[in-house]
Amino acid sequence: MGKDVIVACDFASAEQTFAFLDKFTGRKPFVKIGMELYYAEGPAIVKEIKARGHKIFLDLKLHDIPNTVKKAMAVLRNLDVDITNLHAAGTKNMMRAALEGLTREDGTRPLLIAVTQLTSTDQQSMEDDLLIREPIDKVVMHYAKCAEEAGLDGIVCSPLEAGKVHDLCGKDFLTITPGVRFADGDVGDQKRVMTPAQAKEIGSDYIVVGRPITAAADPVAAYNRCVEEFCD
Ligand code: C5P
């Protein structure tokens, strides 16, 4: 796996999701299922999208005591997703427990990726609310290193940080990067953005693209443009 475009299917229902996915009659996109869709439709939505032949990134961002996360991951492993994730803030013990839970009896498992600091957390809120006084980019790199030491496969980060993460954790440590926009497109509420071509250049392994594809007049053309810029 590697170098692929993941489409964030941020829809509220299975009906809307399938109406969107039905448009893709050629290459089947790698799909990200987030909390909204998963909590609305349950595990069935994951199985249905998988049965249609899509790879799946299940973005549920687990964060709890190690034993609870281990048991939750042991349930998720049966959904046969390709990538899932958790919060690095749960500590290395939690991340190790998650890996144990996620690993099937035959030794296989989905890739496990850590969220470091959410992009909605800025320096001020991190200091005021979390009492973390270090510069945020240092905190993100520290969380990345902890994830690597715990045995995880990579992190979610801004495409602007992908190069630095590879320098610190090795080129095989995966960077999954949202915040991608076309050079001539709307930025929306994303602040630090890159084009698919720039994300490729800097070494992102996967880009996560939502509205530039889901809200496009022609989603299939927008997806194909991402693939051409990022994968080819
Ligand atoms: O529509 P857009 O391309 O902005 O969607 C980006 C997707 O990536 C959304 O599902 C969003 O929740 C997710 N994401 C993000 N920034 C992060 C982590 C996840 O935009 N730091």
Side-chain angles (χ1 to χ4, degrees), residues 4-9 17 20-33 49-50 52-57 82 206-207 209 213-214 219-224 226-227 231:
D4 208 348
V5 175
I6 302 178
V7 181
C9 283
T17 307
F20 171 76
L21 292 177
D22 281 345
K23 298 182 202 292
F24 293 84
T25 51
R27 179 181 172 127
K28 291 189 187 290
F30 203 130
V31 165
K32 179 169 92 72
I33 301 174
I49 294 176
K50 192 81 198 173
R52 286 169 168 240
H54 297 268
K55 286 186 174 166
I56 296 176
F57 170 20
D82 299 279
Y206 295 88
I207 51 173
V209 188
I213 294 174
T214 55
V220 177
Y223 170 71
N224 288 337
C226 277
V227 170
C231 307

Short mmCIF file of all heavy atoms in Angstrom, two decimals, residues 4-9 17 20-33 49-50 52-57 82 206-207 209 213-214 219-224 226-227 231:
data_model
loop_
_atom_site.label_atom_id
_atom_site.label_comp_id
_atom_site.label_asym_id
_atom_site.label_seq_id
_atom_site.Cartn_x
_atom_site.Cartn_y
_atom_site.Cartn_z
N ASP A 4 -1.79 6.89 -2.12
CA ASP A 4 -3.15 6.81 -2.63
C ASP A 4 -3.96 8.02 -2.15
O ASP A 4 -3.58 8.67 -1.17
CB ASP A 4 -3.82 5.50 -2.18
CG ASP A 4 -4.89 5.02 -3.16
OD1 ASP A 4 -5.29 5.81 -4.06
OD2 ASP A 4 -5.33 3.86 -3.03
N VAL A 5 -5.04 8.27 -2.85
CA VAL A 5 -5.95 9.35 -2.49
C VAL A 5 -7.10 8.73 -1.69
O VAL A 5 -7.76 7.81 -2.17
CB VAL A 5 -6.52 10.03 -3.76
CG1 VAL A 5 -7.57 11.08 -3.39
CG2 VAL A 5 -5.40 10.64 -4.59
N ILE A 6 -7.30 9.21 -0.45
CA ILE A 6 -8.40 8.71 0.39
C ILE A 6 -9.51 9.77 0.38
O ILE A 6 -9.27 10.93 0.71
CB ILE A 6 -7.91 8.45 1.83
CG1 ILE A 6 -6.75 7.44 1.83
CG2 ILE A 6 -9.05 7.96 2.70
CD1 ILE A 6 -6.16 7.14 3.21
N VAL A 7 -10.71 9.35 -0.01
CA VAL A 7 -11.82 10.30 -0.07
C VAL A 7 -12.58 10.29 1.25
O VAL A 7 -13.07 9.24 1.69
CB VAL A 7 -12.78 9.95 -1.23
CG1 VAL A 7 -13.93 10.96 -1.29
CG2 VAL A 7 -12.03 9.93 -2.56
N ALA A 8 -12.64 11.46 1.91
CA ALA A 8 -13.36 11.59 3.18
C ALA A 8 -14.86 11.62 2.89
O ALA A 8 -15.39 12.61 2.41
CB ALA A 8 -12.94 12.86 3.91
N CYS A 9 -15.54 10.51 3.19
CA CYS A 9 -16.98 10.43 2.95
C CYS A 9 -17.72 10.98 4.17
O CYS A 9 -18.29 10.22 4.96
CB CYS A 9 -17.38 8.98 2.65
SG CYS A 9 -16.95 8.50 0.98
N THR A 17 -24.12 8.38 1.05
CA THR A 17 -22.80 7.81 0.76
C THR A 17 -22.85 6.95 -0.51
O THR A 17 -22.00 7.06 -1.39
CB THR A 17 -22.31 6.95 1.95
OG1 THR A 17 -22.39 7.74 3.13
CG2 THR A 17 -20.88 6.49 1.75
N PHE A 20 -23.21 8.88 -3.68
CA PHE A 20 -21.91 9.44 -4.07
C PHE A 20 -21.02 8.35 -4.68
O PHE A 20 -20.48 8.52 -5.77
CB PHE A 20 -21.25 10.07 -2.83
CG PHE A 20 -19.82 10.49 -3.04
CD1 PHE A 20 -19.52 11.64 -3.76
CD2 PHE A 20 -18.77 9.74 -2.53
CE1 PHE A 20 -18.20 12.04 -3.96
CE2 PHE A 20 -17.45 10.12 -2.72
CZ PHE A 20 -17.16 11.28 -3.43
N LEU A 21 -20.91 7.20 -3.99
CA LEU A 21 -19.99 6.15 -4.47
C LEU A 21 -20.46 5.52 -5.78
O LEU A 21 -19.63 5.04 -6.57
CB LEU A 21 -19.80 5.08 -3.39
CG LEU A 21 -19.05 5.53 -2.14
CD1 LEU A 21 -18.98 4.40 -1.11
CD2 LEU A 21 -17.63 6.02 -2.47
N ASP A 22 -21.77 5.53 -6.03
CA ASP A 22 -22.30 4.97 -7.28
C ASP A 22 -21.76 5.68 -8.52
O ASP A 22 -21.78 5.13 -9.61
CB ASP A 22 -23.84 5.06 -7.29
CG ASP A 22 -24.47 3.96 -6.45
OD1 ASP A 22 -23.76 2.99 -6.12
OD2 ASP A 22 -25.67 4.08 -6.11
N LYS A 23 -21.31 6.92 -8.35
CA LYS A 23 -20.79 7.68 -9.50
C LYS A 23 -19.46 7.10 -10.00
O LYS A 23 -19.06 7.35 -11.13
CB LYS A 23 -20.55 9.14 -9.11
CG LYS A 23 -21.78 9.90 -8.67
CD LYS A 23 -21.38 11.37 -8.36
CE LYS A 23 -22.35 12.06 -7.43
NZ LYS A 23 -23.66 12.31 -7.99
N PHE A 24 -18.77 6.34 -9.12
CA PHE A 24 -17.43 5.88 -9.48
C PHE A 24 -17.51 4.50 -10.14
O PHE A 24 -17.54 3.47 -9.47
CB PHE A 24 -16.54 5.83 -8.23
CG PHE A 24 -16.25 7.20 -7.68
CD1 PHE A 24 -17.16 7.82 -6.82
CD2 PHE A 24 -15.10 7.88 -8.04
CE1 PHE A 24 -16.93 9.09 -6.33
CE2 PHE A 24 -14.85 9.16 -7.55
CZ PHE A 24 -15.77 9.77 -6.69
N THR A 25 -17.55 4.50 -11.46
CA THR A 25 -17.71 3.24 -12.18
C THR A 25 -16.35 2.67 -12.60
O THR A 25 -16.25 1.50 -12.95
CB THR A 25 -18.60 3.43 -13.42
OG1 THR A 25 -18.08 4.54 -14.16
CG2 THR A 25 -20.04 3.72 -13.03
N GLY A 26 -15.30 3.49 -12.55
CA GLY A 26 -13.96 3.01 -12.89
C GLY A 26 -13.20 2.67 -11.63
O GLY A 26 -13.64 1.81 -10.85
N ARG A 27 -12.06 3.35 -11.41
CA ARG A 27 -11.24 3.13 -10.21
C ARG A 27 -12.07 3.40 -8.95
O ARG A 27 -12.76 4.42 -8.86
CB ARG A 27 -10.04 4.08 -10.28
CG ARG A 27 -9.09 4.01 -9.10
CD ARG A 27 -7.96 5.03 -9.30
NE ARG A 27 -7.14 5.14 -8.11
CZ ARG A 27 -5.81 5.00 -8.09
NH1 ARG A 27 -5.16 4.74 -9.21
NH2 ARG A 27 -5.12 5.15 -6.98
N LYS A 28 -12.02 2.48 -7.99
CA LYS A 28 -12.81 2.63 -6.76
C LYS A 28 -11.97 3.33 -5.70
O LYS A 28 -10.93 2.80 -5.30
CB LYS A 28 -13.24 1.25 -6.24
CG LYS A 28 -14.27 0.60 -7.15
CD LYS A 28 -14.82 -0.64 -6.49
CE LYS A 28 -15.73 -1.40 -7.44
NZ LYS A 28 -16.97 -0.73 -7.72
N PRO A 29 -12.43 4.50 -5.24
CA PRO A 29 -11.61 5.25 -4.29
C PRO A 29 -11.44 4.55 -2.94
O PRO A 29 -12.32 3.80 -2.50
CB PRO A 29 -12.41 6.55 -4.07
CG PRO A 29 -13.42 6.61 -5.13
CD PRO A 29 -13.66 5.21 -5.60
N PHE A 30 -10.30 4.79 -2.31
CA PHE A 30 -10.03 4.45 -0.91
C PHE A 30 -10.93 5.41 -0.12
O PHE A 30 -10.92 6.61 -0.35
CB PHE A 30 -8.56 4.74 -0.63
CG PHE A 30 -7.95 4.01 0.53
CD1 PHE A 30 -6.74 3.33 0.36
CD2 PHE A 30 -8.53 4.02 1.78
CE1 PHE A 30 -6.13 2.67 1.42
CE2 PHE A 30 -7.94 3.35 2.85
CZ PHE A 30 -6.74 2.68 2.67
N VAL A 31 -11.74 4.87 0.80
CA VAL A 31 -12.78 5.68 1.45
C VAL A 31 -12.46 5.88 2.94
O VAL A 31 -12.08 4.94 3.63
CB VAL A 31 -14.14 4.94 1.31
CG1 VAL A 31 -15.18 5.50 2.26
CG2 VAL A 31 -14.63 5.02 -0.13
N LYS A 32 -12.61 7.11 3.42
CA LYS A 32 -12.50 7.35 4.87
C LYS A 32 -13.90 7.46 5.46
O LYS A 32 -14.71 8.26 5.02
CB LYS A 32 -11.74 8.64 5.16
CG LYS A 32 -11.64 8.94 6.68
CD LYS A 32 -10.66 10.05 6.99
CE LYS A 32 -11.28 11.41 7.04
NZ LYS A 32 -12.14 11.65 8.22
N ILE A 33 -14.17 6.60 6.45
CA ILE A 33 -15.44 6.65 7.19
C ILE A 33 -15.14 7.27 8.55
O ILE A 33 -14.33 6.74 9.31
CB ILE A 33 -16.02 5.23 7.39
CG1 ILE A 33 -16.26 4.56 6.04
CG2 ILE A 33 -17.30 5.29 8.21
CD1 ILE A 33 -16.70 3.09 6.16
N ILE A 49 -19.51 -1.02 2.29
CA ILE A 49 -18.55 -0.31 1.43
C ILE A 49 -17.41 -1.26 1.05
O ILE A 49 -16.94 -1.27 -0.09
CB ILE A 49 -18.04 0.98 2.11
CG1 ILE A 49 -19.20 1.97 2.26
CG2 ILE A 49 -16.91 1.62 1.31
CD1 ILE A 49 -18.87 3.25 3.00
N LYS A 50 -16.99 -2.09 2.00
CA LYS A 50 -15.94 -3.09 1.73
C LYS A 50 -16.42 -4.06 0.64
O LYS A 50 -15.69 -4.39 -0.29
CB LYS A 50 -15.63 -3.84 3.03
CG LYS A 50 -14.41 -4.69 3.00
CD LYS A 50 -13.16 -3.87 3.21
CE LYS A 50 -11.94 -4.64 2.74
NZ LYS A 50 -10.72 -3.85 2.77
N ARG A 52 -18.36 -3.54 -1.69
CA ARG A 52 -18.34 -2.89 -3.01
C ARG A 52 -16.92 -2.78 -3.58
O ARG A 52 -16.73 -2.21 -4.66
CB ARG A 52 -18.92 -1.48 -2.90
CG ARG A 52 -20.42 -1.45 -2.73
CD ARG A 52 -20.86 -0.04 -2.36
NE ARG A 52 -22.28 0.10 -2.47
CZ ARG A 52 -22.89 0.98 -3.29
NH1 ARG A 52 -22.18 1.81 -4.03
NH2 ARG A 52 -24.19 1.04 -3.34
N GLY A 53 -15.94 -3.22 -2.82
CA GLY A 53 -14.58 -3.26 -3.36
C GLY A 53 -13.69 -2.07 -3.02
O GLY A 53 -12.64 -1.89 -3.64
N HIS A 54 -14.11 -1.26 -2.03
CA HIS A 54 -13.28 -0.12 -1.64
C HIS A 54 -12.35 -0.50 -0.49
O HIS A 54 -12.74 -1.27 0.40
CB HIS A 54 -14.16 1.05 -1.16
CG HIS A 54 -15.06 1.58 -2.22
ND1 HIS A 54 -14.69 2.62 -3.04
CD2 HIS A 54 -16.31 1.21 -2.59
CE1 HIS A 54 -15.70 2.88 -3.88
NE2 HIS A 54 -16.69 2.03 -3.64
N LYS A 55 -11.16 0.10 -0.46
CA LYS A 55 -10.34 0.06 0.75
C LYS A 55 -10.91 1.08 1.73
O LYS A 55 -11.51 2.07 1.29
CB LYS A 55 -8.89 0.39 0.42
CG LYS A 55 -8.18 -0.74 -0.30
CD LYS A 55 -6.72 -0.42 -0.49
CE LYS A 55 -6.01 -1.62 -1.06
NZ LYS A 55 -4.69 -1.26 -1.58
N ILE A 56 -10.72 0.83 3.03
CA ILE A 56 -11.36 1.69 4.04
C ILE A 56 -10.39 2.13 5.13
O ILE A 56 -9.65 1.33 5.70
CB ILE A 56 -12.55 0.96 4.69
CG1 ILE A 56 -13.63 0.69 3.63
CG2 ILE A 56 -13.14 1.79 5.85
CD1 ILE A 56 -14.81 -0.09 4.12
N PHE A 57 -10.43 3.44 5.40
CA PHE A 57 -9.77 4.03 6.56
C PHE A 57 -10.88 4.38 7.55
O PHE A 57 -11.68 5.28 7.30
CB PHE A 57 -8.99 5.28 6.11
CG PHE A 57 -8.43 6.15 7.23
CD1 PHE A 57 -8.24 5.68 8.53
CD2 PHE A 57 -8.06 7.46 6.96
CE1 PHE A 57 -7.72 6.48 9.53
CE2 PHE A 57 -7.53 8.28 7.95
CZ PHE A 57 -7.37 7.80 9.25
N ASP A 82 -8.72 -1.34 6.27
CA ASP A 82 -7.31 -1.30 5.89
C ASP A 82 -6.48 -0.42 6.83
O ASP A 82 -5.30 -0.68 7.05
CB ASP A 82 -7.21 -0.79 4.44
CG ASP A 82 -7.94 -1.74 3.51
OD1 ASP A 82 -7.35 -2.76 3.15
OD2 ASP A 82 -9.13 -1.50 3.21
N TYR A 206 -0.35 9.21 1.96
CA TYR A 206 -1.76 9.21 1.56
C TYR A 206 -2.27 10.64 1.75
O TYR A 206 -1.95 11.27 2.77
CB TYR A 206 -2.61 8.32 2.47
CG TYR A 206 -2.28 6.86 2.40
CD1 TYR A 206 -1.31 6.30 3.22
CD2 TYR A 206 -2.98 6.01 1.54
CE1 TYR A 206 -1.02 4.95 3.18
CE2 TYR A 206 -2.70 4.65 1.50
CZ TYR A 206 -1.72 4.13 2.32
OH TYR A 206 -1.45 2.79 2.28
N ILE A 207 -3.07 11.13 0.82
CA ILE A 207 -3.77 12.39 1.08
C ILE A 207 -5.24 12.07 1.35
O ILE A 207 -5.80 11.15 0.74
CB ILE A 207 -3.63 13.43 -0.06
CG1 ILE A 207 -3.98 12.84 -1.44
CG2 ILE A 207 -2.23 14.03 -0.07
CD1 ILE A 207 -4.02 13.88 -2.56
N VAL A 209 -8.84 13.69 1.10
CA VAL A 209 -9.50 14.80 0.43
C VAL A 209 -11.01 14.66 0.60
O VAL A 209 -11.57 13.62 0.26
CB VAL A 209 -9.14 14.84 -1.08
CG1 VAL A 209 -9.68 16.12 -1.72
CG2 VAL A 209 -7.65 14.72 -1.29
N ILE A 213 -13.59 17.00 -3.50
CA ILE A 213 -14.17 15.93 -4.32
C ILE A 213 -15.68 15.81 -4.06
O ILE A 213 -16.47 15.84 -5.00
CB ILE A 213 -13.47 14.58 -4.03
CG1 ILE A 213 -12.01 14.64 -4.50
CG2 ILE A 213 -14.21 13.43 -4.72
CD1 ILE A 213 -11.16 13.43 -4.15
N THR A 214 -16.08 15.73 -2.78
CA THR A 214 -17.50 15.45 -2.48
C THR A 214 -18.41 16.61 -2.90
O THR A 214 -19.56 16.38 -3.26
CB THR A 214 -17.72 15.16 -0.98
OG1 THR A 214 -17.20 16.25 -0.21
CG2 THR A 214 -17.03 13.88 -0.56
N PRO A 219 -17.61 15.02 -9.19
CA PRO A 219 -16.72 14.39 -8.20
C PRO A 219 -15.73 13.40 -8.82
O PRO A 219 -14.59 13.31 -8.36
CB PRO A 219 -17.69 13.67 -7.27
CG PRO A 219 -18.98 14.36 -7.43
CD PRO A 219 -19.03 14.82 -8.86
N VAL A 220 -16.16 12.68 -9.84
CA VAL A 220 -15.26 11.68 -10.44
C VAL A 220 -14.08 12.40 -11.12
O VAL A 220 -12.91 11.98 -10.97
CB VAL A 220 -16.01 10.77 -11.43
CG1 VAL A 220 -15.05 9.78 -12.09
CG2 VAL A 220 -17.13 10.02 -10.71
N ALA A 221 -14.37 13.49 -11.82
CA ALA A 221 -13.29 14.25 -12.47
C ALA A 221 -12.35 14.84 -11.42
O ALA A 221 -11.12 14.81 -11.60
CB ALA A 221 -13.89 15.38 -13.33
N ALA A 222 -12.90 15.33 -10.31
CA ALA A 222 -12.06 15.90 -9.24
C ALA A 222 -11.18 14.81 -8.62
O ALA A 222 -10.00 15.03 -8.35
CB ALA A 222 -12.94 16.56 -8.18
N TYR A 223 -11.77 13.63 -8.42
CA TYR A 223 -11.00 12.50 -7.87
C TYR A 223 -9.88 12.11 -8.83
O TYR A 223 -8.72 11.95 -8.43
CB TYR A 223 -11.92 11.31 -7.60
CG TYR A 223 -11.21 10.03 -7.27
CD1 TYR A 223 -10.55 9.87 -6.05
CD2 TYR A 223 -11.17 8.97 -8.18
CE1 TYR A 223 -9.87 8.70 -5.75
CE2 TYR A 223 -10.50 7.80 -7.89
CZ TYR A 223 -9.85 7.66 -6.67
OH TYR A 223 -9.18 6.50 -6.37
N ASN A 224 -10.23 12.00 -10.12
CA ASN A 224 -9.21 11.61 -11.11
C ASN A 224 -8.08 12.63 -11.17
O ASN A 224 -6.91 12.27 -11.34
CB ASN A 224 -9.85 11.44 -12.50
CG ASN A 224 -10.71 10.19 -12.56
OD1 ASN A 224 -10.51 9.26 -11.78
ND2 ASN A 224 -11.67 10.17 -13.47
N CYS A 226 -7.02 14.44 -8.65
CA CYS A 226 -6.19 14.18 -7.46
C CYS A 226 -5.26 13.01 -7.71
O CYS A 226 -4.07 13.05 -7.37
CB CYS A 226 -7.07 13.80 -6.26
SG CYS A 226 -7.75 15.18 -5.40
N VAL A 227 -5.81 11.94 -8.29
CA VAL A 227 -5.00 10.74 -8.56
C VAL A 227 -3.87 11.07 -9.53
O VAL A 227 -2.71 10.68 -9.31
CB VAL A 227 -5.89 9.60 -9.11
CG1 VAL A 227 -5.05 8.44 -9.63
CG2 VAL A 227 -6.85 9.11 -8.02
N CYS A 231 -0.68 10.44 -7.49
CA CYS A 231 -0.22 9.04 -7.61
C CYS A 231 0.62 8.79 -8.86
O CYS A 231 1.45 7.88 -8.84
CB CYS A 231 -1.41 8.08 -7.64
SG CYS A 231 -2.56 8.26 -6.29
#
